[in-house]
Amino acid sequence: MQPQLILLREGTDTSQGKAQLISNIAACMAIVDTIKTTLGPCGMDKLVSNGKEVQISNDGATVMGLLDIVHPAAKCLTDIARAQDSEVGDGTTSVVVIAGELLKEAKTCIEDGIAPQVIIKAFRQALAESHRVLDRLGVPFAQSKEQQRTLLERCAQTALNSKLINTERDFFATMAVSAVLSLDEDCNLAMIGIKKVQGGSMRDTQLIDGVAFKKTFSYAGFEQQPKKFDAPKVLLLNVELELKAERDNAEVRIKDPTQYQSIVDAEWRIIYDKLEKCVASGAKIVLSRLPIGDLATQYFADRDIFCAGRVAVDDMSRVARATGGTMLSTVNGVVPENLGFCQLFEERQIGHDRYNLFTGCAKSKTCTIILRGGAQQFIDEADRSLHDAICIVKRALKTGSVVGGGGAIEMEISKALRDLSRTIRGKQQMVISGYARALEGIPRQLCENAGHDPTDALNKLRQKHFKGDEGPWFGVALSNGGICDTYAAFVWEPTLVKRNALSSATEAACLILSIDETVKNAESEAAKKGESAGRPAGNMPISKSGMGGLVGGLPGVKKLKGRR
């Protein structure tokens, strides 16, 4: 009899084979069943509470991030949702639904005896064909700027259809397009700031052509400073303009009590020297990331200079890039090239808060959106929705082509894949047909979420796309449960959204299908829990030999000194 070889630590859980593969697919399907009800304009919201905070959202990436997923394979779905959100900004729910439908079809193939490697190869072949269909059907943008703006607004409206602010999608779509078009050619979204002010209605949201940030902490002399300047110069500092607290100073020993006054005078000379150099630079606005004390505030107020300390890092970066100023860590040797410039600076009351506004920035185009609303959860969700719309506008502007939404492009790709499968012999024909059926999961789920009959809608869509005489853009009409030409109904999506969603979903499905064994080390997991929780008090083992006993039973601590 062969002796049993033990290669893994005792208590290690190993699962392998077809049963483990199907178990991973079932875990992923459980996550998809939670997320898929948020798809589309009629999707439901999810309320996630961790015992302290409450989040309400129907954004796929947000919900997936809030869920505490512990299954190792199911975490792949969280990764593709985050990748879709960071790369494109929209389609986070679609990518999870498509990945779940692909795994569902793959499960059927595995149970029928098809090897996972055959399924993976067929999936990648179907993905390549899907990309060719997208390239062929993508509608390029018009050359006219007015028509191009209209196309971008339609794309933004489509992205906002499924959001909490869909009732004001025309208003926010116009704002999102205006924000992106106000940027430079690189379309750096870091130059778009979104500030949330609680109170008012959604219609009170405004777009500021420049940089705006909330008034920082200030001292009494601040109210004496001017709050409006025309064509001012801006000095940006990373310097603390206040007297040091005594506890921060080093110990100084003196022999003569009269020497103490010279030390105090030296401290005052240092702060006054800094303030005089700020005034000599010619700047009318002084901003600093570090505190500006009461002495400096009053000093600047007496000389008609505006100052603000403790400015947030992101706000300082935007002001520096917008005005062309340089962040300085010293006030010595300030030259005119280090100063920023803007056409207008003013402090304005918005809601219950006061905001500092820099407009007419010549060096770099930027803008700020002041978002208004009632409950804080509503404002947070509106912020995420507006961010998705802005990302969609940027991607549509960069790629320059759109496709019809509402499940139209998925049905057309499904038709092309069915035609391709008829030209292939062998097991891959069955797998590619399953890929085509998986893409029909998008229009099916849209109908289910809207409360319509998905079977009837899919039969009509298959008929329209099979004939092909009325165009490829027939999708689901959620208003009546029928079908309509989504391109004519202005339901448009950037081609890049669909391309990235198909690629991410296919790669995630292939990754999960390539796993045939899972190894869990229970002892390592217990050790991690012990490290995170910390050692309980009173459980430290102490031997009779004292602290020396902790190191192999040495009789005394003195033996620990040095090395032998």
Side-chain angles (χ1 to χ4, degrees):
M1 185 176 69
Q2 293 291 337
Q4 184 179 5
L5 297 179
I6 301 177
L7 301 179
L8 300 176
R9 191 189 304 271
E10 183 179 358
T12 301
D13 178 26
T14 58
S15 303
Q16 60 183 347
K18 182 187 294 187
Q20 176 60 32
L21 183 56
I22 294 178
S23 174
N24 290 340
I25 295 176
C28 294
M29 291 304 302
I31 302 299
V32 175
D33 290 340
T34 303
I35 297 298
K36 67 182 182 181
T37 56
T38 66
L39 181 67
C42 301
M44 304 297 289
D45 295 339
K46 302 295 181 183
L47 188 149
V48 183
S49 174
N50 60 0
K52 297 180 180 179
E53 297 180 354
V54 175
Q55 295 272 7
I56 301 175
S57 177
N58 69 346
D59 180 69
T62 303
V63 176
M64 294 289 288
L66 294 174
L67 295 178
D68 189 12
I69 300 175
V70 296
H71 195 278
K75 288 183 179 179
C76 296
L77 299 181
T78 304
D79 295 336
I80 63 172
R82 290 176 177 172
Q84 180 78 4
D85 186 47
S86 61
E87 182 68 20
V88 182
D90 194 26
T92 54
T93 305
S94 298
V95 68
V96 175
V97 172
I98 293 175
E101 293 293 331
L102 291 176
L103 291 174
K104 182 179 178 181
E105 295 295 334
K107 179 181 178 182
T108 304
C109 295
I110 291 172
E111 291 173 345
D112 290 341
I114 300 179
Q117 294 301 328
V118 176
I119 300 175
I120 292 173
K121 183 179 179 180
F123 274 4
R124 288 175 176 163
Q125 184 179 356
L127 176 63
E129 178 64 20
S130 301
H131 286 174
R132 285 191 287 269
V133 175
L134 284 172
D135 293 336
R136 174 169 54 88
L137 294 179
V139 180
F141 278 179
Q143 298 297 326
S144 172
K145 290 187 177 181
E146 294 182 357
Q147 294 178 341
Q148 190 179 70
R149 183 183 179 89
T150 302
L151 285 170
L152 294 175
E153 289 181 359
R154 299 298 186 188
C155 292
Q157 290 174 10
T158 302
L160 294 172
N161 268 337
S162 59
K163 306 299 182 182
L164 195 63
I165 56 176
N166 60 351
T167 55
E168 300 289 348
R169 59 179 176 271
D170 295 341
F171 174 74
F172 284 104
T174 303
M175 184 174 294
V177 173
S178 299
V180 174
L181 293 181
S182 67
L183 303 178
D184 291 331
E185 293 183 357
D186 60 349
C187 290
N188 185 7
L189 296 186
M191 300 303 292
I192 301 178
I194 300 180
K195 304 297 180 182
K196 295 176 282 189
V197 180
Q198 193 169 357
S201 65
M202 290 187 293
R203 281 281 178 175
D204 294 330
T205 300
Q206 53 184 303
L207 177 66
I208 306 297
D209 185 18
V211 181
F213 60 87
K214 188 178 178 181
K215 171 184 170 293
T216 59
F217 176 82
S218 59
Y219 292 92
F222 176 81
E223 297 301 333
Q224 303 175 24
Q225 296 177 355
K227 301 300 187 294
K228 185 175 182 180
F229 293 95
D230 291 324
K233 294 181 180 179
V234 184
L235 178 61
L236 306 175
L237 299 175
N238 189 21
V239 179
E240 189 175 6
L241 297 177
E242 68 176 352
L243 290 171
K244 292 284 186 179
E246 291 187 6
R247 65 176 181 273
D248 295 335
N249 292 342
E251 181 180 354
V252 179
R253 296 179 181 271
I254 57 177
K255 296 181 180 179
D256 187 358
T258 59
Q259 295 178 347
Y260 178 74
Q261 185 61 38
S262 63
I263 297 174
V264 174
D265 293 341
E267 291 180 342
W268 284 85
R269 281 196 302 271
I270 292 173
I271 183 66
Y272 273 117
D273 180 62
K274 292 181 181 179
L275 298 178
E276 289 171 359
K277 290 179 179 179
C278 292
V279 175
S281 66
K284 284 295 183 181
I285 300 173
V286 179
L287 303 180
S288 178
R289 287 177 53 186
L290 298 178
I292 296 180
D294 52 352
L295 173 66
T297 302
Q298 187 63 52
Y299 186 91
F300 288 134
D302 295 339
R303 289 154 181 81
D304 292 336
I305 296 177
F306 178 89
C307 69
R310 296 186 178 93
V311 181
V313 178
D314 57 338
D315 291 329
M316 285 289 285
S317 300
R318 291 176 56 229
V319 172
R321 296 186 61 178
T323 61
T326 304
M327 187 91 64
L328 302 176
S329 58
T330 178
V331 294
N332 296 321
V334 179
V335 295
E337 289 76 13
N338 299 138
L339 301 179
F341 175 81
C342 66
Q343 293 291 341
L344 177 65
F345 168 81
E346 62 177 332
E347 185 178 282
R348 188 187 303 175
Q349 186 80 20
I350 301 177
H352 297 289
D353 301 321
R354 293 158 67 180
Y355 274 77
N356 300 322
L357 277 63
F358 297 81
T359 56
C361 302
K363 292 294 182 180
S364 179
K365 297 180 181 179
T366 182
C367 65
T368 305
I369 297 175
I370 309 295
L371 196 60
R372 306 295 304 277
Q376 187 62 41
Q377 291 88 350
F378 179 85
I379 298 179
D380 293 339
E381 180 63 13
D383 179 18
R384 291 187 287 266
S385 304
L386 193 57
H387 176 267
D388 290 351
I390 290 173
C391 291
I392 283 295
V393 173
K394 175 188 174 182
R395 294 303 177 184
L397 190 62
K398 290 293 186 181
T399 56
S401 64
V402 295
V403 294
I409 188 64
E410 286 84 1
M411 291 300 299
E412 189 65 21
I413 295 176
S414 176
K415 171 183 173 295
L417 291 178
R418 291 180 190 275
D419 295 339
L420 175 65
S421 66
R422 297 188 185 98
T423 63
I424 299 176
R425 301 180 61 183
K427 298 178 180 178
Q428 293 187 10
Q429 181 185 30
M430 179 180 176
V431 179
I432 294 179
S433 297
Y435 195 105
R437 287 193 300 271
L439 294 181
E440 293 180 352
I442 294 294
R444 181 189 303 111
Q445 193 61 45
L446 289 173
C447 289
E448 289 182 359
N449 291 346
H452 302 307
D453 183 11
T455 304
D456 182 54
L458 282 176
N459 288 335
K460 293 179 181 178
L461 287 175
R462 291 193 190 103
Q463 181 182 12
K464 285 288 185 182
H465 285 270
F466 178 77
K467 291 181 178 179
D469 52 354
E470 297 184 39
W473 303 124
F474 273 87
V476 179
L478 299 181
S479 58
N480 55 13
I483 63 175
C484 68
D485 189 336
T486 56
Y487 190 85
F490 306 116
V491 182
W492 301 342
E493 297 184 68
T495 308
L496 181 64
V497 175
K498 294 301 180 185
R499 181 187 301 276
N500 199 79
L502 290 173
S503 299
S504 299
T506 303
E507 289 302 324
C510 293
L511 176 62
I512 294 172
L513 290 174
S514 64
I515 300 172
D516 69 338
E517 183 173 1
T518 302
V519 180
K520 293 182 181 179
N521 192 334
E523 186 172 343
S524 297
E525 293 179 0
K528 289 181 180 179
K529 291 180 180 179
E531 291 176 1
S532 61
R535 182 184 294 274
N539 289 342
M540 180 178 288
I542 302 294
S543 65
K544 295 181 179 180
S545 57
M547 292 298 294
L550 295 179
V551 284
L554 294 178
V557 181
K558 59 184 179 181
K559 290 187 177 182
L560 297 177
K561 297 181 180 179
R563 294 183 180 179
R564 290 185 177 181

